[in-house]
Amino acid sequence: MAQKTPGAPDPIRNDNNLYGQGICPMEKKSFQDVAESFSNQRLHLLNCNWEQSAKIILMSRVNEHISNDLAQRYPQNSIYSEIPIQIGNHCVSLYETQYFASMLYRFPFTYNLNGEPKIEQTNPNGNHQIVNNSLPWRTPFSFLRLQVRGSLTAYGYDEYGFQEPEYQKAAEITSLAGYTGHWGGNNPGFMGYTISHCPDPFSERSEYGRLFHIYDFYGNAKCSFEMIPAGNKVLILPYSYRVRNMVLGFAKVYFPQNVSIPIWGADKISNPATEHVILYHNPGIMRLKFPEVSVTTGCILDGIDSISYVSFEGLQQKQNHILIYPENKFDITFALHLAVAMKIQNIPAVRFMQIESATEKETDYNWDGMMYPGTLLSDMKVREITSDELRKLAEENNIDIPDGYHQYFPQS
């Protein structure tokens, strides 16, 4: 059973397709009331490490690319056995595994060993010795590590368990294969395989973080991700499971099942009682609870890079407010790009909500049992700003105005 957003109501499910239309014929609650309600809350902004998350997503996609390539070049004789692949002094079997345990916990990852390659090393006497369960093979991306085996050093691992040659090899293959580290988009070579976003029994397990599920406008789970505190940052990784072999089970991969990613909170946005939607890129927005049922929040995960792949279904007849904290230049850039993308998708009501002042405090935040590093904002003062004011704010911070902004938001 998919796990709903902590603190959120059960996802709305609609069989007759009438409830999910999200019709609000008029704005019944003023923006001033929404701003006042927002200002009285405490907003915890998580320190999201989108750059490192993108690197890990990219390595996962490249790892699958290498797996696909090896499977095509060395097809198996049957589902139970195949011609081993000799790579250097390593003998690799793609569809065999010697493990009985299904999961491996190695900070900051929880991943499934089944479906991973069986890697044996050729001894001088010609015998094969299994080396999966000894370094450097304990990794969620065994195929990628195999490609750089000669470049690894005993002390070259970073805090996430990877080495620079792995990042470099992933970037090198990416330039040839056209993959991205973003959440959405077309990544060739994957969709021909069986992919699941919440298989049993692995979907509800994460040793070092929490798992979440993103529901679409109709209450269907469309994407799963895990949030992992690592040092003073937070990794946010979309994941699904690929069936590499029906006998051996699932292998964890870090990309969404679908090209189009719903807004986190789309199931709440679909409620006809919702009039105002506050959109932001930081997951902390999802912890806010408004006393008014007419106000809700939505999170665009992965920030700017995923905007072009986001589904804005349900926002057409809502009052939509993009949150901006001008102390963070990224917020200004995010608001500009999100506003244009929403207008392209024919969202009529797009406004800008700016936090003019707030008390900041560095702190750890408890999200249902997990502590995440971030910044706490309290004593906030919020007001609506015009598209002119947003443009001037961008110019003051030397931020480029995206194409289409002047078209959709004529300047005075």
Side-chain angles (χ1 to χ4, degrees), residues 183 197-198 212-214 221-226 237-240 256:
W183 281 47
H197 66 271
C198 54
F212 301 87
H213 301 283
I214 299 179
K222 286 295 184 180
C223 180
S224 302
F225 71 96
E226 58 184 336
L237 301 166
Y239 76 90
S240 50

Side-chain angles (χ1 to χ4, degrees), residues 187-239:
N187 289 273
F190 297 139
M191 302 315 291
Y193 293 86
T194 302
I195 300 290
S196 175
H197 66 271
C198 54
D200 289 325
F202 310 115
S203 61
E204 306 302 335
R205 301 181 64 179
S206 179
E207 182 76 2
Y208 304 106
R210 284 198 61 83
L211 305 184
F212 301 87
H213 301 283
I214 299 179
Y215 297 89
D216 66 8
F217 186 62
Y218 305 101
N220 302 311
K222 286 295 184 180
C223 180
S224 302
F225 71 96
E226 58 184 336
M227 206 153 59
I228 306 170
N232 61 351
K233 296 285 187 177
V234 179
L235 297 174
I236 301 181
L237 301 166
Y239 76 90

Side-chain angles (χ1 to χ4, degrees), residues 62-355:
V62 167
N63 187 68
E64 294 304 302
H65 170 81
I66 298 171
S67 169
N68 293 346
D69 183 59
L70 290 175
Q72 291 171 2
R73 288 193 291 132
Y74 302 91
Q76 74 257 32
N77 294 331
S78 71
I79 197 171
Y80 299 105
S81 64
E82 98 288 350
I83 302 172
I85 304 168
Q86 193 70 33
I87 302 179
N89 65 338
H90 292 98
C91 183
V92 182
S93 296
L94 295 181
Y95 296 94
E96 297 180 7
T97 181
Q98 77 282 5
Y99 293 103
F100 294 101
S102 60
M103 305 297 291
L104 179 65
Y105 304 106
R106 178 178 173 81
F107 182 81
F109 305 104
T110 305
Y111 56 95
N112 178 28
L113 287 170
N114 288 343
E116 295 301 312
K118 181 176 72 173
I119 303 174
E120 299 176 326
Q121 189 168 12
T122 305
N123 296 327
N125 58 9
N127 296 327
H128 296 304
Q129 177 184 0
I130 297 174
V131 295
N132 287 72
N133 56 356
S134 61
L135 290 177
W137 303 115
R138 285 199 174 186
T139 171
F141 313 128
S142 300
F143 293 103
L144 174 61
R145 184 156 289 182
L146 191 65
Q147 297 290 308
V148 296
R149 62 196 180 282
S151 303
L152 301 178
T153 62
Y155 304 102
Y157 298 96
D158 63 15
E159 60 183 314
Y160 306 101
F162 303 112
Q163 295 201 16
E164 188 60 32
E166 294 177 282
Y167 294 119
Q168 294 175 353
K169 176 59 70 171
E172 175 187 326
I173 295 178
T174 294
S175 64
L176 300 174
Y179 301 125
T180 73
H182 310 326
W183 281 47
N186 292 303
N187 289 273
F190 297 139
M191 302 315 291
Y193 293 86
T194 302
I195 300 290
S196 175
H197 66 271
C198 54
D200 289 325
F202 310 115
S203 61
E204 306 302 335
R205 301 181 64 179
S206 179
E207 182 76 2
Y208 304 106
R210 284 198 61 83
L211 305 184
F212 301 87
H213 301 283
I214 299 179
Y215 297 89
D216 66 8
F217 186 62
Y218 305 101
N220 302 311
K222 286 295 184 180
C223 180
S224 302
F225 71 96
E226 58 184 336
M227 206 153 59
I228 306 170
N232 61 351
K233 296 285 187 177
V234 179
L235 297 174
I236 301 181
L237 301 166
Y239 76 90
S240 50
Y241 283 83
R242 167 183 164 183
V243 181
R244 289 203 182 127
N245 178 282
M246 294 303 293
V247 174
L248 299 177
F250 297 98
K252 195 173 191 178
V253 288
Y254 286 101
F255 64 94
Q257 183 178 3
N258 303 287
V259 173
S260 179
I261 308 301
I263 295 173
W264 189 14
D267 53 316
K268 295 185 294 181
I269 293 170
S270 67
N271 190 332
T274 298
E275 302 170 19
H276 295 267
V277 180
I278 303 173
L279 298 170
Y280 201 41
H281 58 83
N282 194 285
I285 193 78
M286 300 306 293
R287 296 298 280 173
L288 297 185
K289 297 181 180 179
F290 293 89
E292 310 89 353
V293 295
S294 61
V295 183
T296 191
T297 57
C299 180
I300 313 294
L301 289 172
D302 198 25
I304 296 171
D305 290 329
S306 67
I307 286 178
S308 58
Y309 307 117
V310 171
S311 170
F312 297 111
E313 188 173 13
L315 299 181
Q316 284 79 3
Q317 298 193 40
K318 308 294 182 180
Q319 300 296 322
N320 305 292
H321 314 280
I322 302 176
L323 183 63
I324 304 165
Y325 187 40
E327 298 298 320
N328 183 355
K329 292 185 178 181
F330 178 82
D331 280 25
I332 303 170
T333 307
F334 172 78
L336 291 167
H337 285 266
L338 179 59
V340 171
M342 292 175 68
K343 284 295 186 179
I344 291 175
Q345 295 297 319
N346 299 316
I347 308 297
V350 180
R351 300 177 173 181
F352 306 102
M353 172 189 284
Q354 177 175 301
I355 302 175

